[in-house]
Amino acid sequence: MKFSQIALGLLATFAEVAFATPVATQTATLGYATLNGGTKGGVGGSTTTVSSLAALKTAVADDTARIVFVSGSITGNEAVKVGSNKSILGITGASLTGVGLRVVDKKNVIIRNLKISKVLADAGDAIAVQGTSASNIWIDGNDLSSDRDHDKDYYDGLLDITHGVRYVSVTYNKFHDHWKGSLVGHSDSNASEDTVITVTYAYNYWTNLNSRLPSFRFGTGHIFNSYFENSNDGIQTRQGAQLLIENNVFSNVGKPIFEDGGFAVVRNNQGATPNTAPTGTLTSVPYAYTTLALSSVKSYVVANAGVH
């Protein structure tokens, strides 16, 4: 979801901030995050701007509704715990280096327009969402990366969604230059929690990754209108997962769609062979959406995914 320039002088009044969509609609507008009452983050709460790690940690820690603007570059080596009812919004150029965001058993969280990179494995994932009480999470318009110059376990995942999270939308993000992209489902033995997971991935740009574009265990996922390029493994459906994969474009991806005990309904994709996933049962989803013309997917996604 494209952001336009946000002027620092306007931050005191949230109603004046120039997003691509009107402030009144700064809630999730696509996918599973629109269900279960919707996802509005900190809308209706106070507004603050942070430019240091300490200030960020304080601003997002509690469950009080709050809109938190991130300004400038913040560095560190830890995961910041995010409370419920938060919108974490990057001002143009905002970045977290070595600092991840962790949402554990929290609800109604929006993370948008942040560049998050080089989060070491001992700190965790760039973004991690987990917990059976976690729901209604919108991750939109972020740039998530590290590098592939180190061992695959030097960093962890770019975005992991585990332990029974529900009603998640992952839209307009750029995932790049990393070993392990996005994992859904904690482990092969965690069906008791993870079967209820529901995630939408739409309008995402995946490039120069080794695997997990995403890797999806147990739950239900809808992956559409996305562009995948120059990566080894593509979408993996695992452990009984039910995926609907449609209107995506794959270019130079070694295994575009493959399985390890999961299922997928695959329709109207380009470059999606080989596809080894057995046909599943997820033929529709409980929300409205629009598919792009396949000929437009690459140009539209590359132009619009990531930070702005």
Side-chain angles (χ1 to χ4, degrees), residues 44-306:
S46 63
T47 300
T48 188
T49 304
V50 301
S51 57
S52 70
L53 180 56
L56 174 63
K57 291 165 66 175
T58 299
V60 303
D62 61 22
D63 293 333
T64 301
R66 187 174 300 115
I67 298 155
V68 180
F69 289 99
V70 179
S71 175
S73 301
I74 296 175
T75 62
N77 181 30
E78 62 181 287
V80 173
K81 294 181 179 179
V82 178
S84 296
N85 308 309
K86 295 295 180 296
S87 295
I88 305 175
L89 310 175
I91 298 168
T92 300
S95 65
L96 304 179
T97 303
V99 177
L101 299 175
R102 191 176 183 194
V103 182
V104 181
D105 283 319
K106 300 298 181 179
K107 301 178 180 180
N108 190 36
V109 174
I110 295 172
I111 300 171
R112 303 182 74 189
N113 207 47
L114 281 172
K115 181 178 181 180
I116 306 178
S117 64
K118 298 182 185 298
V119 180
L120 300 182
D122 59 1
D125 306 303
I127 301 175
V129 184
Q130 63 186 75
T132 55
S133 296
S135 70
N136 293 90
I137 313 294
W138 185 29
I139 299 168
D140 176 79
N142 301 289
D143 182 305
L144 308 177
S145 72
S146 62
D147 59 60
R148 294 179 64 179
D149 300 330
H150 300 84
D151 177 83
K152 66 181 180 66
D153 294 321
Y154 187 77
Y155 305 105
D156 204 345
L158 293 179
L159 169 61
D160 283 13
I161 300 166
T162 60
H163 294 285
V165 183
R166 296 168 296 148
Y167 306 110
V168 181
S169 291
V170 180
T171 56
Y172 289 92
N173 300 283
K174 182 177 182 181
F175 299 85
H176 63 103
D177 300 295
H178 193 78
W179 284 95
K180 296 176 283 189
S182 183
L183 177 69
V184 179
H186 172 62
S187 70
D188 288 355
S189 60
N190 204 47
S192 61
E193 289 184 331
D194 286 337
T195 301
V196 300
I197 286 177
T198 48
V199 185
T200 301
Y201 288 88
Y203 301 97
N204 296 299
Y205 180 19
W206 309 76
T207 180
N208 193 31
L209 299 160
N210 181 65
S211 62
R212 302 183 181 178
L213 283 70
S215 177
F216 210 112
R217 289 187 181 103
F218 295 115
T220 301
H222 185 201
I223 304 169
F224 72 102
N225 285 355
S226 294
Y227 180 56
F228 304 77
E229 69 172 3
N230 301 330
S231 298
N232 296 340
D233 293 349
I235 301 169
Q236 184 181 25
T237 179
R238 307 170 64 180
Q239 301 299 113
Q242 292 284 348
L243 305 184
L244 173 57
I245 302 171
E246 57 181 338
N247 243 71
N248 303 289
V249 174
F250 299 83
S251 176
N252 193 33
V253 177
K255 295 189 288 184
I257 302 170
F258 66 110
E259 61 83 30
D260 180 17
F263 304 88
V265 171
V266 179
R267 62 192 185 202
N268 198 38
N269 299 279
Q270 180 177 303
T273 54
N275 163 26
T276 63
T279 301
T281 59
L282 185 66
T283 59
S284 64
V285 288
Y287 50 80
Y289 65 98
T290 302
T291 55
L292 297 170
L294 273 180
S295 59
S296 300
V297 168
K298 176 181 176 179
S299 61
Y300 182 84
V301 170
V302 170
N304 288 281

